[in-house]
Amino acid sequence: MPSFMLPYASHTYALMRIVTGFLFLWHGTQKLFSVPMPPPPQVPPFVIAIAGPIELIGGALVMIGLFTGWAAFLCSGLMAFAYWMAHGTQALLPIQNMGELAVLLCFVFLYISSHGSGIWSVDAARGSV
């Protein structure tokens, strides 16, 4: 790790957690409420019914840092499932099957689930980091 960034490691982790959760929850609002735009027409209704709430609630929980480990683990599993069901059947590599976002989110959420809430979180304010 570059030594000049070491003092900011907890801050950059918190920013990554907050931004990742914020971006993820919008996938849920898209599926559930068609906000800010409707989901693609090829998305099956069962995906909307299952993935939408996980994306919205899981993303919000990760963003605010409440029950972060469990929420991020569930989101990671959802993204692994999404990759193999929607992208992995199309081609081998994520660059070929347009699955880079699903893979990246899967592993970012997996890291967050193992690292916990960190600073700037509800869990930290509650003393349960």
Side-chain angles (χ1 to χ4, degrees):
M1 177 181 295
S3 60
F4 75 95
M5 286 299 292
L6 197 54
Y8 307 105
S10 61
H11 302 90
T12 55
Y13 172 76
L15 288 171
M16 180 192 66
R17 176 186 51 79
I18 292 165
V19 170
T20 301
F22 176 75
L23 294 175
F24 199 62
L25 73 85
W26 287 103
H27 287 272
T29 64
Q30 178 190 32
K31 286 180 183 69
L32 297 173
F33 309 118
S34 294
V35 173
M37 59 192 194
Q42 69 270 20
V43 177
F46 80 91
V47 170
I48 291 172
I50 295 169
I54 293 172
E55 291 168 346
L56 177 61
I57 297 167
L61 290 173
V62 168
M63 181 181 73
I64 67 171
L66 179 63
F67 309 120
T68 307
W70 289 107
F73 188 74
L74 183 61
C75 293
S76 175
L78 176 66
M79 288 295 90
F81 181 80
Y83 177 78
W84 288 112
M85 293 294 105
H87 302 283
T89 59
Q90 305 301 313
L92 178 63
L93 298 175
I95 190 97
Q96 295 172 306
N97 61 34
M98 306 297 288
E100 295 109 330
L101 182 59
V103 171
L104 186 61
L105 283 170
C106 175
F107 283 95
V108 169
F109 280 125
L110 188 62
Y111 177 70
I112 292 170
S113 74
S114 69
H115 193 74
S117 302
I119 64 169
W120 303 338
S121 67
V122 174
D123 286 341
R126 293 178 26 202
S128 59
V129 174

Short mmCIF file of all heavy atoms in Angstrom, two decimals, residues 50-81:
data_model
loop_
_atom_site.label_atom_id
_atom_site.label_comp_id
_atom_site.label_asym_id
_atom_site.label_seq_id
_atom_site.Cartn_x
_atom_site.Cartn_y
_atom_site.Cartn_z
N ILE A 50 -37.39 -10.74 -7.13
CA ILE A 50 -36.35 -11.21 -6.20
C ILE A 50 -35.19 -10.23 -6.10
O ILE A 50 -34.79 -9.84 -5.00
CB ILE A 50 -35.85 -12.61 -6.62
CG1 ILE A 50 -36.98 -13.63 -6.50
CG2 ILE A 50 -34.65 -13.04 -5.77
CD1 ILE A 50 -36.69 -14.97 -7.12
N ALA A 51 -34.64 -9.84 -7.23
CA ALA A 51 -33.45 -8.98 -7.22
C ALA A 51 -33.77 -7.55 -6.81
O ALA A 51 -32.96 -6.93 -6.11
CB ALA A 51 -32.80 -8.99 -8.61
N GLY A 52 -34.91 -7.03 -7.20
CA GLY A 52 -35.25 -5.65 -6.88
C GLY A 52 -35.18 -5.32 -5.39
O GLY A 52 -34.49 -4.38 -4.99
N PRO A 53 -35.88 -6.08 -4.54
CA PRO A 53 -35.79 -5.79 -3.10
C PRO A 53 -34.39 -5.99 -2.51
O PRO A 53 -33.98 -5.22 -1.65
CB PRO A 53 -36.78 -6.79 -2.48
CG PRO A 53 -37.71 -7.14 -3.58
CD PRO A 53 -36.90 -7.08 -4.83
N ILE A 54 -33.67 -7.00 -2.99
CA ILE A 54 -32.31 -7.21 -2.48
C ILE A 54 -31.42 -6.03 -2.86
O ILE A 54 -30.64 -5.53 -2.04
CB ILE A 54 -31.72 -8.54 -3.00
CG1 ILE A 54 -32.48 -9.72 -2.41
CG2 ILE A 54 -30.22 -8.64 -2.66
CD1 ILE A 54 -32.11 -11.07 -3.00
N GLU A 55 -31.56 -5.56 -4.10
CA GLU A 55 -30.74 -4.43 -4.55
C GLU A 55 -31.10 -3.16 -3.79
O GLU A 55 -30.22 -2.42 -3.34
CB GLU A 55 -30.92 -4.22 -6.05
CG GLU A 55 -30.30 -5.32 -6.87
CD GLU A 55 -30.71 -5.30 -8.33
OE1 GLU A 55 -31.68 -4.59 -8.69
OE2 GLU A 55 -30.06 -6.00 -9.13
N LEU A 56 -32.39 -2.89 -3.64
CA LEU A 56 -32.82 -1.67 -2.96
C LEU A 56 -32.49 -1.69 -1.47
O LEU A 56 -31.81 -0.79 -0.96
CB LEU A 56 -34.33 -1.47 -3.16
CG LEU A 56 -34.94 -0.27 -2.44
CD1 LEU A 56 -34.31 1.04 -2.91
CD2 LEU A 56 -36.44 -0.24 -2.63
N ILE A 57 -32.92 -2.73 -0.78
CA ILE A 57 -32.72 -2.79 0.68
C ILE A 57 -31.25 -3.08 1.00
O ILE A 57 -30.66 -2.44 1.87
CB ILE A 57 -33.66 -3.82 1.31
CG1 ILE A 57 -35.11 -3.39 1.10
CG2 ILE A 57 -33.36 -4.01 2.80
CD1 ILE A 57 -36.14 -4.46 1.40
N GLY A 58 -30.66 -4.06 0.30
CA GLY A 58 -29.26 -4.38 0.53
C GLY A 58 -28.35 -3.21 0.23
O GLY A 58 -27.43 -2.90 1.00
N GLY A 59 -28.60 -2.52 -0.88
CA GLY A 59 -27.79 -1.35 -1.22
C GLY A 59 -27.92 -0.26 -0.18
O GLY A 59 -26.93 0.37 0.21
N ALA A 60 -29.14 -0.01 0.29
CA ALA A 60 -29.35 1.01 1.32
C ALA A 60 -28.65 0.64 2.63
O ALA A 60 -28.02 1.49 3.27
CB ALA A 60 -30.84 1.22 1.55
N LEU A 61 -28.75 -0.63 3.03
CA LEU A 61 -28.09 -1.07 4.26
C LEU A 61 -26.57 -0.96 4.16
O LEU A 61 -25.91 -0.52 5.12
CB LEU A 61 -28.49 -2.50 4.61
CG LEU A 61 -29.94 -2.70 5.08
CD1 LEU A 61 -30.25 -4.19 5.22
CD2 LEU A 61 -30.20 -1.96 6.38
N VAL A 62 -26.02 -1.34 3.03
CA VAL A 62 -24.57 -1.21 2.84
C VAL A 62 -24.18 0.27 2.86
O VAL A 62 -23.20 0.66 3.48
CB VAL A 62 -24.12 -1.91 1.53
CG1 VAL A 62 -22.68 -1.54 1.18
CG2 VAL A 62 -24.25 -3.42 1.67
N MET A 63 -24.95 1.09 2.17
CA MET A 63 -24.64 2.51 2.10
C MET A 63 -24.61 3.16 3.49
O MET A 63 -23.67 3.89 3.81
CB MET A 63 -25.65 3.24 1.22
CG MET A 63 -25.38 4.72 1.07
SD MET A 63 -26.58 5.57 0.05
CE MET A 63 -27.99 5.62 1.13
N ILE A 64 -25.62 2.90 4.31
CA ILE A 64 -25.65 3.53 5.62
C ILE A 64 -24.82 2.77 6.66
O ILE A 64 -24.57 3.29 7.74
CB ILE A 64 -27.09 3.74 6.13
CG1 ILE A 64 -27.79 2.42 6.41
CG2 ILE A 64 -27.87 4.62 5.17
CD1 ILE A 64 -29.13 2.55 7.12
N GLY A 65 -24.41 1.56 6.31
CA GLY A 65 -23.57 0.79 7.22
C GLY A 65 -24.34 0.14 8.35
O GLY A 65 -23.91 0.16 9.50
N LEU A 66 -25.48 -0.45 8.05
CA LEU A 66 -26.29 -1.15 9.05
C LEU A 66 -26.40 -2.61 8.65
O LEU A 66 -26.83 -2.91 7.53
CB LEU A 66 -27.69 -0.51 9.14
CG LEU A 66 -28.66 -1.15 10.12
CD1 LEU A 66 -28.14 -1.02 11.56
CD2 LEU A 66 -30.03 -0.50 10.00
N PHE A 67 -26.01 -3.51 9.55
CA PHE A 67 -25.96 -4.95 9.25
C PHE A 67 -25.16 -5.18 7.95
O PHE A 67 -25.54 -5.99 7.11
CB PHE A 67 -27.36 -5.56 9.14
CG PHE A 67 -28.25 -5.26 10.30
CD1 PHE A 67 -29.44 -4.57 10.12
CD2 PHE A 67 -27.90 -5.65 11.57
CE1 PHE A 67 -30.27 -4.29 11.19
CE2 PHE A 67 -28.72 -5.37 12.66
CZ PHE A 67 -29.91 -4.69 12.46
N THR A 68 -24.09 -4.47 7.82
CA THR A 68 -23.34 -4.41 6.57
C THR A 68 -22.82 -5.76 6.11
O THR A 68 -22.90 -6.09 4.93
CB THR A 68 -22.18 -3.41 6.70
OG1 THR A 68 -22.70 -2.17 7.16
CG2 THR A 68 -21.47 -3.21 5.39
N GLY A 69 -22.26 -6.54 7.03
CA GLY A 69 -21.69 -7.83 6.64
C GLY A 69 -22.72 -8.74 5.99
O GLY A 69 -22.48 -9.31 4.93
N TRP A 70 -23.87 -8.87 6.63
CA TRP A 70 -24.92 -9.74 6.10
C TRP A 70 -25.50 -9.19 4.81
O TRP A 70 -25.73 -9.94 3.85
CB TRP A 70 -26.04 -9.93 7.13
CG TRP A 70 -25.58 -10.78 8.28
CD1 TRP A 70 -25.30 -10.34 9.54
CD2 TRP A 70 -25.34 -12.19 8.27
NE1 TRP A 70 -24.90 -11.41 10.32
CE2 TRP A 70 -24.92 -12.55 9.55
CE3 TRP A 70 -25.44 -13.17 7.29
CZ2 TRP A 70 -24.60 -13.85 9.90
CZ3 TRP A 70 -25.12 -14.47 7.63
CH2 TRP A 70 -24.70 -14.79 8.92
N ALA A 71 -25.77 -7.88 4.78
CA ALA A 71 -26.36 -7.27 3.58
C ALA A 71 -25.41 -7.40 2.39
O ALA A 71 -25.82 -7.76 1.28
CB ALA A 71 -26.69 -5.80 3.85
N ALA A 72 -24.13 -7.12 2.62
CA ALA A 72 -23.15 -7.19 1.53
C ALA A 72 -22.97 -8.63 1.05
O ALA A 72 -22.79 -8.87 -0.15
CB ALA A 72 -21.82 -6.60 1.97
N PHE A 73 -23.02 -9.59 1.97
CA PHE A 73 -22.89 -10.99 1.58
C PHE A 73 -24.06 -11.41 0.69
O PHE A 73 -23.88 -12.09 -0.32
CB PHE A 73 -22.80 -11.87 2.83
CG PHE A 73 -22.48 -13.30 2.52
CD1 PHE A 73 -21.19 -13.67 2.14
CD2 PHE A 73 -23.45 -14.28 2.61
CE1 PHE A 73 -20.89 -14.99 1.85
CE2 PHE A 73 -23.16 -15.60 2.32
CZ PHE A 73 -21.87 -15.95 1.94
N LEU A 74 -25.27 -10.99 1.04
CA LEU A 74 -26.44 -11.30 0.23
C LEU A 74 -26.34 -10.63 -1.15
O LEU A 74 -26.64 -11.26 -2.17
CB LEU A 74 -27.71 -10.84 0.96
CG LEU A 74 -29.04 -11.14 0.28
CD1 LEU A 74 -29.24 -12.65 0.12
CD2 LEU A 74 -30.17 -10.55 1.09
N CYS A 75 -25.90 -9.38 -1.17
CA CYS A 75 -25.72 -8.67 -2.45
C CYS A 75 -24.65 -9.35 -3.30
O CYS A 75 -24.79 -9.45 -4.53
CB CYS A 75 -25.36 -7.21 -2.20
SG CYS A 75 -26.68 -6.23 -1.45
N SER A 76 -23.58 -9.81 -2.68
CA SER A 76 -22.52 -10.52 -3.40
C SER A 76 -23.07 -11.79 -4.04
O SER A 76 -22.80 -12.08 -5.21
CB SER A 76 -21.38 -10.86 -2.45
OG SER A 76 -20.40 -11.65 -3.10
N GLY A 77 -23.84 -12.53 -3.29
CA GLY A 77 -24.45 -13.75 -3.82
C GLY A 77 -25.40 -13.47 -4.96
O GLY A 77 -25.43 -14.19 -5.96
N LEU A 78 -26.17 -12.40 -4.83
CA LEU A 78 -27.08 -12.00 -5.91
C LEU A 78 -26.31 -11.70 -7.18
O LEU A 78 -26.70 -12.12 -8.27
CB LEU A 78 -27.92 -10.79 -5.50
CG LEU A 78 -28.84 -10.23 -6.58
CD1 LEU A 78 -29.93 -11.22 -6.92
CD2 LEU A 78 -29.42 -8.90 -6.13
N MET A 79 -25.19 -11.01 -7.06
CA MET A 79 -24.40 -10.65 -8.24
C MET A 79 -23.72 -11.87 -8.85
O MET A 79 -23.59 -11.97 -10.06
CB MET A 79 -23.37 -9.57 -7.90
CG MET A 79 -23.99 -8.21 -7.66
SD MET A 79 -24.77 -7.52 -9.15
CE MET A 79 -26.45 -8.11 -9.03
N ALA A 80 -23.30 -12.83 -8.02
CA ALA A 80 -22.74 -14.07 -8.55
C ALA A 80 -23.81 -14.82 -9.33
O ALA A 80 -23.56 -15.31 -10.45
CB ALA A 80 -22.19 -14.93 -7.42
N PHE A 81 -25.00 -14.90 -8.75
CA PHE A 81 -26.11 -15.57 -9.43
C PHE A 81 -26.46 -14.84 -10.73
O PHE A 81 -26.66 -15.47 -11.77
CB PHE A 81 -27.33 -15.61 -8.49
CG PHE A 81 -28.51 -16.29 -9.08
CD1 PHE A 81 -28.59 -17.68 -9.11
CD2 PHE A 81 -29.57 -15.56 -9.62
CE1 PHE A 81 -29.69 -18.32 -9.66
CE2 PHE A 81 -30.67 -16.20 -10.17
CZ PHE A 81 -30.73 -17.58 -10.19
#
